[in-house]
Amino acid sequence: MSYQYSTGGYSGSYSQASQNRERVPHQQQQQYPQNAGEGEKSSLLGTLDFQPIYEMDPSLSDGHRAVYDREVQFELRTQESAEKPHDVGTTEGVKVKVLSMGEDSNHLSLRIELSSESDLFFHYTCNINTVGYQSLQEEQKLMCDFRDFAPTLMRMLNKCIKEPQSYMAVLIIQRDGNAVLEFIQNMEYKFVELLALPFKESPEHIIRQHISFRYNSLKSRLAMMQTRLQDVNALVKVKNPSLLLQLQRSASDMSHHQ
């Protein structure tokens, strides 16, 4: 099967150099004065608000919104070119992000991004709009309309997570910068290809944006957690100083054993 990249309304993006979680709404963080009441102090242990950090994601900068964000086990294979057979693959966790432009009932375009927690330079992108999906639908005899394609894709990804013996995601990386993501079902007596999506190497400036975001995001979350830890320490020190000393000794013992 061959693919035309960057034309016909669907295109791909790929780049490479050397726990499953969907995004959920985050509770609003509050500031707590030193003389806070008991109810306010108890909420010091509440959920941190990382939403402002997530909103800085470069994936969302052009108006797309994330509708799916989970890690999926992929089989990664390399291939010299589309005409040559691909090598035996390795299984790795890949973070899959599906982004939509438009309303749920009327997607104008979809972008699928693949990244890796173990390799900051690993980043693939596939862009599909209504015109491109028509070509994809005809080539692969897909039954669903474009508005139903995103939910269908997410169901297939979830099946790869929940039923890895029956459903597989295989990413075939070509050395010319193109790649194809294939969804395969194991029917016991044969393997059936359900869907194949084209990807292509991302521009260097896009990769730099994502690396910068991931670094600054981690740094900001660490700073927020350190601030929360200081608030908790202050509260425990007032209420139960001996407990704070015990916690500090336990933390020190754990660091020595690592």
Side-chain angles (χ1 to χ4, degrees), residues 11-71:
S11 62
S13 196
Y14 151 76
S15 111
Q16 182 178 24
S18 343
Q19 276 294 12
N20 303 336
R21 181 173 299 173
E22 292 179 313
R23 182 171 297 173
V24 296
H26 298 273
Q27 297 178 5
Q28 184 177 3
Q29 184 185 14
Q30 301 180 17
Q31 299 296 325
Y32 303 98
Q34 292 184 349
N35 60 348
E38 290 298 324
E40 293 172 318
K41 288 181 179 179
S42 64
S43 61
L44 284 170
L45 297 175
T47 303
L48 288 168
D49 179 20
F50 294 139
Q51 189 61 30
I53 299 175
Y54 295 139
E55 291 174 355
M56 300 300 292
D57 188 343
S59 299
L60 310 177
S61 62
D62 58 355
H64 281 82
R65 57 188 178 84
V67 295
Y68 187 90
D69 190 354
R70 299 189 71 178
E71 185 178 272

Side-chain angles (χ1 to χ4, degrees), residues 60 62-68 98-104 106-111 150:
L60 310 177
D62 58 355
H64 281 82
R65 57 188 178 84
V67 295
Y68 187 90
V98 180
L99 302 116
S100 169
M101 178 79 76
E103 301 298 328
D104 289 336
N106 185 27
H107 298 291
L108 301 178
S109 65
L110 292 174
R111 184 165 71 238

Side-chain angles (χ1 to χ4, degrees), residues 174-198:
Q174 299 171 8
R175 298 195 183 278
D176 61 0
N178 294 325
V180 177
L181 174 60
E182 297 180 350
F183 291 92
I184 299 173
Q185 183 178 5
N186 182 358
M187 304 290 290
E188 295 185 358
Y189 55 90
K190 67 181 296 187
F191 291 100
V192 178
E193 181 182 292
L194 303 176
L195 174 68
L197 296 176

Side-chain angles (χ1 to χ4, degrees), residues 40-167:
E40 293 172 318
K41 288 181 179 179
S42 64
S43 61
L44 284 170
L45 297 175
T47 303
L48 288 168
D49 179 20
F50 294 139
Q51 189 61 30
I53 299 175
Y54 295 139
E55 291 174 355
M56 300 300 292
D57 188 343
S59 299
L60 310 177
S61 62
D62 58 355
H64 281 82
R65 57 188 178 84
V67 295
Y68 187 90
D69 190 354
R70 299 189 71 178
E71 185 178 272
V72 183
Q73 291 296 311
F74 277 23
E75 182 177 336
L76 304 183
R77 303 177 183 176
T78 57
Q79 187 177 31
E80 290 292 338
S81 66
E83 292 75 25
K84 295 184 179 181
H86 43 71
D87 298 333
V88 177
T90 58
T91 302
E92 297 184 23
V94 174
K95 185 176 182 181
V96 182
K97 187 182 296 183
V98 180
L99 302 116
S100 169
M101 178 79 76
E103 301 298 328
D104 289 336
S105 59
N106 185 27
H107 298 291
L108 301 178
S109 65
L110 292 174
R111 184 165 71 238
I112 303 101
E113 295 182 353
L114 311 178
S115 60
S116 171
E117 292 297 327
S118 60
D119 185 352
L120 293 176
F121 294 89
F122 180 100
H123 195 275
Y124 300 67
T125 305
C126 173
N127 296 286
I128 304 177
N129 60 21
T130 53
V131 176
Y133 181 73
Q134 290 178 357
S135 299
L136 200 68
Q137 188 178 35
E138 292 174 2
E139 289 177 12
Q140 302 185 33
K141 297 179 174 57
L142 304 178
M143 302 297 293
C144 62
D145 295 329
F146 184 58
R147 66 178 180 180
D148 298 320
F149 178 63
T152 301
L153 176 61
M154 290 186 282
R155 282 196 296 270
M156 282 195 290
L157 289 165
N158 287 334
K159 284 181 178 293
C160 292
I161 296 173
K162 298 175 182 179
E163 305 175 53
Q165 303 301 322
S166 300
Y167 295 89

